[in-house]
Amino acid sequence: MTHGVLPHKVEVRTLAARAVELEGRLDPAKLPRLQAAGVSAQLPVRVQARFFKDEESRYAVDLAVQASVTVTCQRCLGALEENLKSRSLLVALWSGEEAGQLPPRYDPLVTEAEMDLWQVVEDELLLVLPSFSYHSDTNCGAQTGVVSQAGANGPSAEQGGEQVNPFNMLKVLNEDNPE
């Protein structure tokens, strides 16, 4: 197994034929699309890539990626730590047409002789990035005024034992403006 800085360009088929394992770290500053998605990371991205040939002589990569990133909470707009983890089983293909013939356990990786490993790592992180990120209610609910109490039957909003009707405000507005 090779440890250290993750190489930028690799030849998947050559590494798979030799059953090479790479383990390394990647500086998040080298992932511009991740930064453009509003994600920042202070620690390096950890990557493990095991290249091999499967039972049908396909050139495959077992890729595991881990990163601790900071995103924006969609509720309070504060910083929120997220731990991203991805594990994929990729097969190197010359064209996208071959992808339909792959077993479901594999994801296609259309590549020429050389593959940009950093870009594949960045793709994996973008795929596992949550669409919406929120703190728990206790962390940012007090700042926003949105606090829910989860009961046995799901969320409920009670004040003084009375059920709060969300349409009461409409009733008040309607009384103020008679037709």
Side-chain angles (χ1 to χ4, degrees):
M1 179 179 286
T2 305
H3 295 279
V5 178
L6 198 66
H8 190 192
K9 302 279 185 173
V10 296
E11 292 184 18
V12 177
R13 292 165 185 87
T14 302
L15 295 177
R18 295 181 181 167
V20 173
E21 292 184 34
L22 299 175
E23 184 174 329
R25 299 188 184 280
L26 180 58
D27 181 7
K30 297 181 181 187
L31 305 174
R33 292 180 299 144
L34 194 63
Q35 292 174 351
V39 177
S40 65
Q42 303 303 318
L43 299 173
V45 177
R46 294 182 305 268
V47 180
Q48 292 178 325
R50 185 177 61 88
F51 298 85
F52 64 97
K53 285 179 76 172
D54 75 354
E55 62 278 351
E56 294 186 25
S57 296
R58 293 182 192 100
Y59 298 101
V61 182
D62 184 0
L63 183 66
V65 180
Q66 292 182 332
S68 180
V69 299
T70 304
V71 296
T72 303
C73 172
Q74 299 297 306
R75 185 179 297 140
C76 71
L77 301 179
L80 173 63
E81 292 290 322
E82 290 277 358
N83 291 315
L84 305 179
K85 290 183 182 183
S86 171
R87 180 116 192 218
S88 299
L89 197 53
L90 307 168
V91 171
L93 303 174
W94 293 107
S95 70
E97 297 158 358
E98 300 171 77
Q101 301 168 358
L102 285 178
R105 69 180 181 268
Y106 289 123
D107 289 322
L109 176 64
V110 179
T111 181
E112 298 293 325
E114 277 192 340
M115 172 187 80
D116 185 340
L117 187 56
W118 294 0
Q119 183 177 357
V120 174
V121 168
E122 188 173 31
D123 289 343
E124 291 298 314
L125 290 173
L126 288 169
L127 286 171
V128 297
L129 188 65
S131 299
F132 301 100
S133 300
Y134 298 104
H135 287 112
S136 67
D137 286 343
T138 57
N139 289 342
C140 71
Q143 295 173 5
T144 61
V146 179
V147 179
S148 68
Q149 299 171 350
N153 296 330
S156 66
E158 294 185 9
Q159 293 178 345
E162 251 180 67
Q163 183 79 22
V164 175
N165 185 347
F167 297 104
N168 281 344
M169 182 55 81
L170 291 175
K171 182 179 176 184
V172 170
L173 290 174
N174 197 19
E175 289 172 359
D176 290 343
N177 296 321
E179 291 181 30

